[in-house]
Amino acid sequence: MSELINLSLTDQIHGLADKSFSSREIADAYLDEIKKKKSLNCYISVFEEESKENALLADENIAQNKVRPLEGIPIAHKDIFCIKDKKTTCGSKMLSSFISPYSSEVFTKLDNAGAITIGKTNMDEFAMGSSNETSFYGNVLNPINEKLSPGGSSGGSAAAVRANLCSFATATDTGGSIRQPASFCGVTGIKPTYGRVSRWGMIAFASSLDQAGIIAKNAKDAAVALKYMSGFDQKDSTSLNEEVKDFQKEVDADQEHVIGIPKELIENMKNDQVRDSFKNAISILEKDGAKIEEINLPHIEYSLPAYYVIAPAECSANLARYDGIRFGHRSESVSSLEDLYVNSRTEGFGREVKNRIFIGTFCLSTGYYDAFYNKALKIRNLIKRDFDEAFKKVTSIAMPTCSNSSFELGSISDPVEMYEQDIYTIPANLAGLPALSIPSGKVNEMPIGLQLIGNYLDEGKILNLANKFQKLTDFHEFK
Amino acid sequence: MKITKQDLKNISLLSKIKIDEERSASLIEDLESILTMVNKMDELDTSKVNPLTHPIENTQTLREDIEKKDIEREKLQELSKEKDSGFYLTPKVIE
């Protein structure tokens, strides 16, 4: 039944509904594939027996016509989402034995929609990384070329979708952690508007930037999955109390598009192949009827420096909770309370997480707060205004997801060079805008992504445009 | 931007993370390279711009003040290695 794992989510939903196959058959096929491809290291936990049992229950529901929207669909959650009574590690030694006492809203919503959680995917430690190499559990391999990085931090989710190890996977994006791995693995990834999806039970990195989203085989699948994970949640004070549009309907609707191209950014790109591929993707959409407008985002080049103040500052505050006392790693070699704090944190966090805590601590300390943190917040405002201005005349903004295709594992040691991976994805996080990445070509025989940024709460618009592109091209097909 | 050994000591103290002597040199290098990149912000005059702490202007939503028992205390405390009679234990702080 291995062909079942090649099917899209929408085809799996139809096949289950008309009883062409059972949920148990799909679950078994994924579990077999997970075993075969264990060396990719996509999963931190796999719930084999439970998935099989839940698949049988789903089949019973289907037999009785009690079908929920995602009934019997095996999915994976990034190991940043808490699931009650399950290990939730966030890719860190700090939480390597943490069994969550409650479930994240993302899990609960998808679980209530009938999805079966087949396992939890590997990730950079506390979502800090762009290559998956900071995970305490070792890096994930890119299924297309195992010498290369799957991207990060949601590398496990992107690789699991690409390798047909789940129907779709949840992921999170603080500065590009959904879109960059989606680009590297040739899959579709969407980060919705900030506040669209509840952050309750999603382990915090930088709270004003973190947003949960989806990695799927294509835009249609992403639209279906996002529909069932979005919505207001009283438990998250930043959750938006706004109606969730029917993305599933919107993705296929007849819509007109005006695409903004930040001309200067494109002309200044260093990689000709990426630029040419981007221009080719835009010309495909233009021929299909989309209008193209040049736009100006004058402050976008300051996104990276502003982000690398704001994100570490928020991270240093959020990760202060790991004190070795209530949960998380507790050092054995302790003779005082100070020792308990210091040794637990020093032993529990990896190098990159420490670096970010150090930067954040420094930027928030006396004498530097205004020069760094406040300055970065002001630049964040300028970047948001640039987008507000651009969206007065366009319905979406297009740019490449990354400046190149995937790189060899272990090849980047300079932190700034690694941070530059997110140079085109960070602006949408600073402004809180929805953004997605779809495969749009190849460079060095590896996929690269086209990034589409939408206006606030306009996920449906960019999903619609992405779906148009995928109807006209086959870059998203796994070959 | 230069980071001194004293800066490292302060950062270590504030973040409650030890910095080994042999890691100091490479850490200074990493931090200086990150801060040099960050210093690009100085090119912009932001004296007339307000800081934006949050991307979405959203009024804090409040819920009814009704007790919920979503998370049980005992279950939470199971996560701690050292506890006694409902208390978390730490090394002695008073002699």
Side-chain angles (χ1 to χ4, degrees):
Chain A
M1 297 304 275
S2 67
E3 69 273 17
L4 296 182
I5 59 176
N6 297 321
L7 296 176
S8 67
L9 166 64
T10 30
D11 287 342
Q12 287 175 343
I13 291 173
H14 290 142
L16 284 171
D18 65 23
K19 302 187 179 63
S20 304
F21 43 80
S22 69
S23 170
R24 178 61 193 262
E25 284 172 314
I26 310 182
D28 282 345
Y30 279 128
L31 289 163
D32 283 348
E33 197 71 0
I34 289 170
K35 279 182 197 152
K36 274 188 219 156
K37 295 179 178 168
K38 199 170 187 310
S39 62
L40 291 175
N41 202 20
C42 291
Y43 283 90
I44 290 175
S45 306
V46 177
F47 311 128
E48 186 172 353
E49 291 311 312
E50 201 176 317
S51 301
K52 288 179 178 178
E53 285 165 23
N54 286 335
L56 288 178
L57 292 175
D59 286 331
E60 279 174 30
N61 285 343
I62 293 167
Q64 293 166 23
N65 287 325
K66 287 192 276 180
V67 184
R68 293 168 291 174
L70 299 173
E71 191 74 55
I73 300 291
I75 67 164
H77 285 288
K78 185 176 180 179
D79 206 16
I80 198 168
F81 293 103
C82 290
I83 301 181
K84 192 174 182 182
D85 298 330
K86 294 270 185 285
K87 194 170 79 168
T88 299
T89 71
C90 219
S92 180
K93 180 182 176 185
M94 182 60 87
L95 292 175
S96 54
S97 55
F98 175 71
I99 309 291
S100 180
Y102 71 110
S103 286
S104 58
E105 188 66 7
V106 161
F107 166 80
T108 304
K109 273 191 178 295
L110 291 171
D111 192 54
N112 288 342
I116 293 169
T117 300
I118 204 162
K120 301 189 82 185
T121 56
N122 200 349
M123 54 180 286
D124 278 299
E125 184 179 7
F126 283 103
M128 297 174 204
S130 304
S131 67
N132 230 281
E133 290 166 295
T134 75
S135 170
F136 175 63
Y137 297 90
N139 61 266
V140 176
L141 307 178
N142 191 315
I144 306 168
N145 178 341
E146 296 186 5
K147 286 187 183 143
L148 305 184
S149 167
S153 66
S154 311
S157 291
V161 171
R162 177 70 206 207
N164 283 324
L165 306 183
C166 59
S167 183
F168 67 85
T170 59
T172 60
D173 192 313
T174 304
S177 281
I178 288 177
R179 290 159 287 158
Q180 185 250 22
S183 176
F184 280 14
C185 292
V187 291
T188 298
I190 180 163
K191 172 204 99 70
T193 309
Y194 182 88
R196 185 57 114 178
V197 174
S198 170
R199 291 184 299 110
W200 169 260
M202 181 178 116
I203 295 171
F205 158 16
S207 303
S208 81
L209 300 158
D210 297 342
Q211 184 57 202
I214 288 291
I215 293 180
K217 283 192 169 94
N218 57 49
K220 259 186 165 177
D221 285 5
V224 176
L226 188 63
K227 175 179 164 183
Y228 296 108
M229 120 188 213
S230 301
F232 176 63
D233 177 18
Q234 276 194 329
K235 301 186 292 304
D236 173 2
S237 65
T238 59
S239 173
L240 292 174
N241 198 352
E242 299 280 348
E243 180 205 358
V244 178
K245 293 179 210 157
D246 188 343
F247 304 133
Q248 201 171 351
K249 268 191 190 153
E250 254 190 293
V251 76
D252 258 332
D254 187 17
Q255 292 187 349
E256 291 190 355
H257 294 273
V258 184
I259 306 172
I261 309 288
K263 192 182 171 215
E264 210 174 327
L265 180 141
I266 304 301
E267 294 311 323
N268 289 338
M269 284 181 64
K270 290 174 195 154
N271 189 318
D272 293 340
Q273 284 176 284
V274 177
R275 182 173 45 237
D276 292 347
S277 171
F278 172 76
K279 286 184 174 173
N280 179 50
I282 296 303
S283 71
I284 291 170
L285 288 167
E286 191 173 19
K287 272 185 210 145
D288 189 53
K291 284 188 189 136
I292 308 297
E293 286 266 355
E294 280 179 16
I295 55 161
N296 193 14
L297 300 169
H299 302 100
I300 201 165
E301 61 178 303
Y302 299 95
S303 300
L304 190 70
Y307 176 87
Y308 273 98
V309 173
I310 296 168
E314 293 188 17
C315 135
S316 70
N318 268 327
L319 273 61
R321 75 190 65 184
Y322 300 101
D323 55 8
I325 297 172
R326 291 152 302 148
F327 62 95
H329 175 75
R330 180 176 180 127
S331 178
E332 300 288 336
S333 59
V334 164
S335 58
S336 67
L337 183 60
E338 182 73 6
D339 273 0
L340 178 60
Y341 294 146
V342 173
N343 294 351
S344 300
R345 290 168 65 77
T346 306
E347 292 162 11
F349 292 134
R351 182 184 171 125
E352 181 58 28
V353 171
K354 286 178 187 167
N355 267 4
R356 304 228 190 169
I357 293 175
F358 292 147
I359 287 285
T361 303
F362 181 75
C363 292
L364 291 175
S365 60
T366 311
Y368 297 107
Y369 182 93
D370 269 333
F372 289 109
Y373 186 61
N374 227 13
K375 180 91 185 179
L377 293 181
K378 288 177 172 192
I379 290 173
R380 184 178 197 175
N381 204 355
L382 292 173
I383 291 162
K384 183 184 185 298
R385 284 189 209 165
D386 286 351
F387 278 115
D388 288 345
E389 201 53 41
F391 277 115
K392 283 179 186 165
K393 56 177 189 171
V394 300
T395 55
S396 62
I397 293 171
M399 59 178 85
T401 308
C402 302
S403 53
N404 210 339
S405 56
S406 181
F407 50 85
E408 217 165 294
L409 286 156
S411 65
I412 300 182
S413 55
D414 174 27
V416 174
E417 193 184 341
M418 189 62 92
Y419 297 170
E420 283 172 349
Q421 286 299 318
D422 295 335
I423 201 156
Y424 301 131
T425 48
I426 280 170
N429 297 83
L430 288 172
L433 293 164
L436 59 76
S437 176
I438 44 172
S440 63
K442 281 192 174 177
V443 168
N444 301 329
E445 297 175 15
M446 288 299 286
I448 52 162
L450 168 69
Q451 182 181 202
L452 301 171
I453 303 174
N455 207 347
Y456 294 103
L457 301 171
D458 235 356
E459 291 83 4
K461 194 83 189 170
I462 50 173
L463 283 164
N464 181 281
L465 186 57
N467 186 38
K468 262 183 203 277
F469 186 79
Q470 291 182 336
K471 280 182 186 164
L472 298 164
T473 61
D474 62 358
F475 299 120
H476 61 289
E477 284 171 17
F478 302 174
K479 291 171 196 159
Chain B
M1 169 137 206
K2 288 277 163 224
I3 295 279
T4 62
K5 290 222 162 172
Q6 187 55 47
D7 287 330
L8 277 198
K9 270 189 186 165
N10 292 343
I11 294 171
S12 169
L13 186 76
L14 287 167
S15 63
K16 303 255 180 266
I17 296 173
K18 224 180 273 175
I19 298 172
D20 293 335
E21 194 53 41
E22 68 259 35
R23 170 92 172 93
S24 293
S26 71
L27 182 60
I28 287 179
E29 208 175 291
D30 281 358
L31 296 184
E32 284 181 350
S33 125
I34 296 165
L35 291 170
T36 303
M37 179 269 284
V38 160
N39 274 336
K40 184 178 166 61
M41 296 196 303
D42 289 344
E43 292 171 14
L44 282 178
D45 175 10
T46 53
S47 54
K48 290 185 180 131
V49 186
N50 289 325
L52 180 77
T53 47
H54 218 270
I56 310 278
E57 287 162 32
N58 190 20
T59 319
Q60 184 99 323
T61 47
L62 301 173
R63 62 172 170 81
E64 292 295 310
D65 187 16
I66 300 165
E67 183 193 9
K68 287 187 177 179
K69 289 193 173 166
D70 292 347
I71 304 174
E72 302 139 38
R73 176 186 169 137
E74 291 73 25
K75 218 170 169 61
L76 269 181
Q77 290 209 314
E78 277 171 20
L79 295 166
S80 175
K81 281 187 189 159
E82 303 277 344
K83 66 256 170 187
D84 188 12
S85 316
F87 293 101
Y88 291 109
L89 298 184
T90 69
K92 230 181 201 178
V93 286
I94 302 167
E95 290 304 322

